[in-house]
Amino acid sequence: MSCWQGIINQYSEFLPVSDKTPVITLLEGNTPLIKAENLAKEIGFKGEIYLKYEGLNPTGSFKDRGMTVAISKAKEKGKEAVICASTGNTSASAAAYAARAGMRAYVLLPKGAVALGKLSQAMIYGAKVLAVKGTFDDALHIVRKIGESYPVEIVNSVNPYRLEGQKTGAYEVCDALEDAPDYHFIPVGNAGNITAYWRGYKDYYKKGKVKKLPKMMGWQAEGAAPIVKGFPIKNPQTVATAIKIGNPYSWKNALKAAQESGGSIGAVSDDEILFAYKLVASCEGVFCEPASAASVAGLVKLTREGFFKNGERVVCTLTGNGLKDPDTAIRVCEEPTDVPPVLEKVVKELGF
Ligand SMILES: *Cc1c(COP(=O)(O)O)cnc(C)c1O
């Protein structure tokens, strides 16, 4: 077939797969890189902004890129079950790919801290779902212990195949732009994705497919910013539940990505995140989840500080789909106005 066949087929030369690997795919990847001219104008950015809209993956987040590789490799090894801790998207993705592979999925979620859409996904795909009365970090700790003692494959980003698959986001950006951007803005939670993108850019650079490397700009939420503060956060707090993580697994690698590339890891407040979340939706028609907007919030912040030179090119990864968390969207917007089914009243209310 000549149409898109998923990231393993597309990028097998860069991935740890062989002819013996059964490819478990939902045709993830190949997501749009959307040029955001309205956004640039709105915030006074004098260059090019592109949005890598990962919300259009099969389960609505970039996690599918890593999951197709992790589940395919688990299948190759003859594993019959997978387990993960999750702020929501990893569990949605694990449950979907496990279903496709005919494997059992076990997921541990922090109770009450997962967006409704994500919870519904894990449930409908048929995972065994446990709500842990604790944080994501507590849940991941337990999952790692279980992985040591029972015949289940861990598919959190502690699984190296996850990051391998996630590198393909960077490949796609370079393929679309025919070079790397000057800056890559990305939300940071467990810090796997910033690590993966940096490796992906370096792969392409080594192969001579791009002439430069971008500066990696990672963004945590202020109430969940252990890397910025320099110590783990016991009780992380933020509206951006997908990055509500107090002790990221890939902490050191994220710092390495920022330092090697000449970038940085910063923090944005929930207000800044929600401002950016509404802005990309209202001026570009792109609905991402709150955590995803941390990348744009960082861009807005640095633009206002006069950080950029004219003509620079920036890519922001929008990690997940806004439909996953409709509660937040409805909460931050004006409620619909009630009207009777009467033409004159409707016309008046519309302000014509
Ligand atoms: C997982 C996730 C993140 C954080 O990615 P890390 O690799 O954990 O840093 C950000 N946004 C969304 C929507 C996610 O699902």
Side-chain angles (χ1 to χ4, degrees):
M1 269 200 277
S2 60
C3 59
W4 183 262
Q5 290 299 309
I7 60 118
I8 294 180
N9 266 293
Q10 187 71 20
Y11 296 111
S12 58
E13 62 172 309
F14 296 101
L15 298 173
V17 292
S18 71
D19 296 345
K20 293 187 199 69
T21 312
V23 177
I24 310 298
T25 179
L26 284 161
L27 311 189
E28 62 294 312
N30 197 23
T31 55
L33 186 68
I34 303 169
K35 191 167 186 185
E37 291 178 341
N38 298 337
L39 176 64
K41 199 178 231 172
E42 190 66 34
I43 66 174
F45 182 87
K46 308 253 177 328
E48 293 174 11
I49 302 173
Y50 292 87
L51 308 172
K52 183 63 172 159
Y53 190 26
E54 289 291 276
L56 293 190
N57 276 296
T59 77
S61 84
F62 75 85
K63 299 296 200 301
D64 294 341
R65 295 180 185 276
M67 206 55 73
T68 182
V69 181
I71 298 282
S72 296
K73 293 303 283 186
K75 189 81 181 166
E76 184 179 351
K77 283 189 262 177
K79 296 281 165 111
E80 288 170 5
V82 298
I83 189 167
C84 64
S86 180
T87 59
N89 283 331
T90 296
S91 66
S93 189
Y97 283 79
R100 196 134 164 98
M103 296 163 87
R104 192 105 182 82
Y106 302 99
V107 309
L108 273 65
L109 307 173
K111 188 174 166 65
V114 170
L116 203 60
K118 305 177 189 183
L119 180 60
S120 74
Q121 287 179 290
M123 291 165 69
I124 199 79
Y125 294 134
K128 171 76 182 170
V129 181
L130 299 184
V132 178
K133 295 179 184 165
T135 62
F136 166 82
D137 301 277
D138 296 331
L140 181 57
H141 182 74
I142 294 167
V143 161
R144 294 181 70 183
K145 290 280 179 223
I146 291 174
E148 286 168 13
S149 323
Y150 299 93
V152 287
E153 185 81 341
I154 301 177
V155 293
N156 280 103
S157 54
V158 306
N159 179 325
Y161 297 127
R162 282 275 311 280
L163 298 200
E164 289 296 311
Q166 287 169 210
K167 294 188 309 184
T168 60
Y171 304 159
E172 288 179 15
V173 167
C174 296
D175 288 343
L177 297 177
E178 298 183 320
D179 202 353
D182 296 304
Y183 292 91
H184 191 112
F185 280 62
I186 187 164
V188 173
N190 220 14
N193 213 26
I194 187 172
T195 304
Y197 264 91
W198 179 235
R199 289 183 187 163
Y201 281 121
K202 285 197 295 186
D203 284 351
Y204 255 36
Y205 186 72
K206 274 185 222 138
K207 280 255 173 179
K209 284 180 171 267
V210 291
K211 294 180 285 299
K212 62 181 180 204
L213 287 165
K215 295 184 171 64
M216 298 300 300
M217 312 295 282
W219 296 90
Q220 300 196 295
E222 250 170 36
I227 301 179
V228 177
K229 297 206 164 125
F231 51 84
I233 309 295
K234 262 242 150 58
N235 241 316
Q237 294 300 333
T238 172
V239 65
T241 50
I243 54 172
K244 192 172 167 185
I245 293 177
N247 194 6
Y249 177 73
S250 298
W251 184 321
K252 289 211 178 80
N253 283 324
L255 273 179
K256 200 173 132 199
Q259 284 162 359
E260 275 182 12
S261 69
S264 60
I265 297 185
V268 278
S269 70
D270 278 8
D271 283 347
E272 289 172 309
I273 288 172
L274 291 174
F275 174 81
Y277 169 68
K278 289 167 87 168
L279 189 65
V280 272
S282 62
C283 79
E284 295 291 0
V286 177
F287 188 18
C288 65
E289 57 177 285
S292 309
S295 59
V296 176
L299 177 61
V300 172
K301 189 180 184 121
L302 293 191
T303 303
R304 285 183 179 156
E305 290 170 6
F307 176 86
F308 297 100
K309 297 196 205 69
N310 284 358
E312 287 185 310
R313 201 181 236 187
V314 171
V315 171
C316 296
T317 298
L318 297 183
T319 45
N321 197 305
L323 290 171
K324 284 174 172 277
D325 188 3
D327 295 325
T328 301
I330 290 169
R331 202 173 57 239
V332 300
C333 293
E334 230 177 89
E335 267 192 54
T337 311
D338 286 353
V339 285
V342 177
L343 176 64
E344 296 72 32
K345 296 264 163 76
V346 172
V347 167
K348 182 161 177 265
E349 200 58 57
L350 291 176
F352 289 123

